């Protein structure tokens, strides 16, 4: 399914927003969609820093390059749409596929970091790197979009703590310990093989070193046992950069259950809600499972006759016969409501997974221009502006500051010994 910007291409910007940003250039405005949200929601989106825990721009550009400093035809993110939606600090995901374990993971991570730096190099008036919470706030005040970075899958560490320091110096400020398969650090929620029954011995050491350096621990994707291991070892709050509530997707270990969220709140951490329909509703989750099973059966029957074109034909035919059950903005709010009930307002954030979940985004939340739509839904649900500000970014900025403060104190104590 095409992104919101593509379907509305050619429609001029019709809403004027009050924000620290300068006006969108005419060439960008021509390809920028309008936001279907109230002026109150738009004002809130531009009044407070919006920090999104997970956006897969670097890997998207690695597969199909576009200049996201301008309006783009593909993808969920570009500068005009981010500006329109009030997005101020999208964590750029340095995504390492699970099959890169022991297969060039570090080199790929460096290339993807280069992609992020190149965005800033091409448009320093629009974007800026950000390594701290203060950087994000300063860039916000200066009217620039921050590009902090998080590594999705610690495979690039390759069992060497020197690599951890290398990536810290390059700007990595969180690491998702594993991805779709168990690695040398942690078991994965998606992997039936639990080789470590949680974190590996090296993984526990890695968490300690991440605390020391000031890198947030991200427990999205890890197994339940690994989650609890991470909380036991970490001396600072952790985050789930792009996960939702298992209450709405029974049996999906990738999401967090109520007990885990209670533990996360006690730790001081933040659950950043994933927008992918698969993570929001049981109906979409089940559709995804049935689709994968049908596709695997189809491809097995094709044998060596299988081509990308045949595979794509299957995808189209399956979706036509079994339409995808997109979630709604109300489903995102339902996940936020559940998290507030279990953990409290101080432990919720946003981790959209834009550019990472393909054609599974909810109706009304198809790209980064649409944060005001979610804000409107929260207002209608009775959320106060101060609470919305915490969800938009205040909570995760607080965790960043705590992680930074611990690292600074550790460094000071070590220097005094």
């Amino acid at each position: 399914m095409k992104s919101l910007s593509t379907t509305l291409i050619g429609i001029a910007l019709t809403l004027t927003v009050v924000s620290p940003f300068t006006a969108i250039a005419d060439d960008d405005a021509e390809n920028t969609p309008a936001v279907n949200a109230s002026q109150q929601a738009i004002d809130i989106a531009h009044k407070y820093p919006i920090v999104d825990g997970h956006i897969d721009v670097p890997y998207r550009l690695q597969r199909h390059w576009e200049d996201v400093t301008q309006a783009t035809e593909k993808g969920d993110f570009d500068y005009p749409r981010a500006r329109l939606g009030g997005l101020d600090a999208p964590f750029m995901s340095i995504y390492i596929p699970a099959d890169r374990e022991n297969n060039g993971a570090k080199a790929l991570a460096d290339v993807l970091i280069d992609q992020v730096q190149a965005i800033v190099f091409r448009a320093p008036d629009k974007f800026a790197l950000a390594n701290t919470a203060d950087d994000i706030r300063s860039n916000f005040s200066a009217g620039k979009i921050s590009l902090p970075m998080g590594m999705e899958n610690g495979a690039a560490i390759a069992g060497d703590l020197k690599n951890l320091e290398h990536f810290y110096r390059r700007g990595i400020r969180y690491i998702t310990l594993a991805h779709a398969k168990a690695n040398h650090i942690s078991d994965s929620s998606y992997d039936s093989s639990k080789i470590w029954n949680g974190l590996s011995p090296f993984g526990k050491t890695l968490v300690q070193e991440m605390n020391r350096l000031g890198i947030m621990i991200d427990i999205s994707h890890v197994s339940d046992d690994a989650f609890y291991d991470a909380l036991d070892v970490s001396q600072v709050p952790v985050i789930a950069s792009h996960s939702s509530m298992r209450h709405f997707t029974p049996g999906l270990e990738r999401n967090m259950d109520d007990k885990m969220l209670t533990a996360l709140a006690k730790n001081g951490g933040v659950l950043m809600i994933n927008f992918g329909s698969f993570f929001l509703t049981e109906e979409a989750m089940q559709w995804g499972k049935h689709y994968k099973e049908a596709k695997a059966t189809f491809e097995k029957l094709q044998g060596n006759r299988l081509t990308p074109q045949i595979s794509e034909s299957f995808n189209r035919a399956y979706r036509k016969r079994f339409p995808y059950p997109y979630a709604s903005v109300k489903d995102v709010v339902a996940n936020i409501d559940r998290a507030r009930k279990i953990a409290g307002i101080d432990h919720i954030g946003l981790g959209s997974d834009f550019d990472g979940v393909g054609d599974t985004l909810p109706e009304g939340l198809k790209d980064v221009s649409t944060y005001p739509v979610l804000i409107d839904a929260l207002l209608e649900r009775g959320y106060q502006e101060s609470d919305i500000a915490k969800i938009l970014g205040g909570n995760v900025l607080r965790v960043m500051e705590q992680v930074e403060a611990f690292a600074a104190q550790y460094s000071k104590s070590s220097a005094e010994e």
Side-chain angles (χ1 to χ4, degrees):
M1 184 175 181
K2 294 182 180 179
S3 67
L4 184 61
S5 65
T6 304
T7 58
L8 298 177
I9 200 83
I11 297 179
L13 179 65
T14 60
L15 295 173
T16 300
V17 297
V18 178
S19 78
F21 294 120
T22 56
I24 295 177
D26 290 340
D27 57 343
D28 288 337
E30 290 178 358
N31 293 327
T32 304
V35 173
N36 184 23
S38 71
Q39 190 62 50
Q40 181 185 8
I42 293 170
D43 289 345
I44 290 173
H46 291 272
K47 184 177 180 180
Y48 304 98
I50 296 180
V51 183
D52 192 310
H54 192 91
I55 295 185
D56 279 290
V57 169
Y59 200 74
R60 163 194 161 192
L61 300 185
Q62 187 70 6
R63 299 176 69 183
H64 176 82
W65 191 85
E66 291 183 295
D67 185 359
V68 295
T69 70
Q70 310 293 330
T72 61
E73 292 187 4
K74 298 182 182 296
D76 309 326
F77 173 96
D78 58 34
Y79 178 74
R81 286 180 287 171
R83 281 281 311 280
L84 189 63
L87 177 59
D88 302 293
F91 265 90
M92 296 284 98
S93 173
I94 306 304
Y95 166 57
I96 311 300
D99 62 6
R100 287 300 192 109
E101 177 90 350
N102 303 315
N103 184 27
K106 180 177 182 294
L108 175 59
D110 278 321
V111 168
L112 296 180
I113 292 171
D114 290 345
Q115 290 270 23
V116 177
Q117 293 177 337
I119 294 170
V120 175
F121 178 82
R122 287 196 303 275
D125 58 323
K126 299 177 178 178
F127 295 102
L129 298 174
N131 294 330
T132 67
D134 280 346
D135 288 345
I136 291 173
R137 291 194 175 96
S138 295
N139 292 336
F140 174 73
S141 297
K144 296 182 180 182
I145 295 176
S146 295
L147 297 182
M149 290 182 282
M151 180 183 291
E152 185 178 23
N153 188 1
I157 303 303
D160 188 343
L161 294 179
K162 290 182 181 178
N163 288 334
L164 181 68
E165 294 191 17
H166 165 80
F167 286 117
Y168 175 80
R169 291 194 299 271
R170 295 217 64 190
I172 294 297
R173 288 302 179 267
Y174 77 67
I175 295 176
T176 316
L177 301 179
H179 191 252
K181 294 289 183 182
N183 61 15
H184 69 287
I185 297 167
S186 173
D187 290 335
S188 166
S189 61
Y190 283 135
D191 194 344
S192 59
S193 176
K194 309 299 187 186
I195 62 177
W196 303 111
N197 293 316
L199 296 181
S200 71
F202 176 79
K204 294 177 181 179
T205 299
L206 181 70
V207 167
Q208 294 173 331
E209 288 299 299
M210 289 170 67
N211 286 175
R212 180 181 70 81
L213 285 175
I215 301 175
M216 292 184 288
I217 287 85
D218 177 22
I219 52 76
S220 287
H221 281 285
V222 305
S223 68
D224 288 4
D225 286 340
F227 163 82
Y228 287 110
D229 279 352
L231 261 60
D232 286 342
V233 175
S234 180
Q235 298 183 66
V236 294
V238 308
I239 63 169
S241 69
H242 59 305
S243 298
S244 296
M245 294 297 297
R246 199 179 301 176
H247 174 82
F248 299 101
T249 56
L252 183 62
E253 189 178 0
R254 172 68 175 79
N255 277 343
M256 294 185 65
D257 67 22
D258 292 356
K259 180 181 176 183
M260 294 168 72
L261 187 55
T262 299
L264 184 71
K266 185 177 181 180
N267 162 268
V270 175
L271 167 65
M272 308 181 79
I273 301 297
N274 192 314
F275 291 0
S277 295
F278 177 85
F279 302 101
L280 296 172
T281 71
E282 184 174 12
E283 185 180 10
M285 179 192 72
Q286 292 296 341
W287 188 99
K289 289 182 177 180
H290 296 325
Y291 165 76
K292 288 181 179 179
E293 292 169 357
K295 185 177 181 181
T297 300
F298 172 81
E299 291 182 348
K300 185 177 181 179
L301 290 171
Q302 293 299 310
N304 58 16
R305 297 186 302 274
L306 183 66
T307 66
Q309 292 76 19
I310 290 175
S311 182
E312 180 57 30
S313 294
F314 169 83
N315 293 342
R316 290 194 300 268
Y318 190 91
R319 279 181 172 262
K320 184 176 181 179
R321 184 172 181 182
F322 306 103
Y324 189 79
Y326 291 103
S328 67
V329 179
K330 289 183 179 180
D331 291 315
V332 179
V333 174
N335 275 260
I336 293 173
D337 278 344
R338 183 75 184 181
R340 180 175 64 169
K341 176 182 177 181
I342 301 301
I345 197 66
D346 295 324
H347 305 285
I348 311 167
L350 305 179
S352 65
D353 217 344
F354 280 134
D355 277 331
V357 290
D359 180 22
T360 71
L361 291 163
E363 298 292 355
L365 292 176
K366 296 297 187 183
D367 65 25
V368 294
S369 73
T370 57
Y371 295 97
V373 176
L374 176 58
I375 294 171
D376 245 346
L378 291 171
L379 289 169
E380 291 174 5
R381 186 67 176 163
Y383 282 72
Q384 299 299 308
E385 182 175 324
S386 58
D387 289 341
I388 292 173
K390 290 181 177 181
I391 294 169
L392 294 180
N395 288 334
V396 71
L397 288 172
R398 182 258 305 164
V399 171
M400 289 182 70
E401 289 169 337
Q402 289 179 272
V403 171
E404 292 161 12
F406 180 89
Q409 184 59 42
Y410 186 99
S411 179
K412 179 180 179 182
S413 298
S414 298
E416 291 174 351
E417 290 180 356

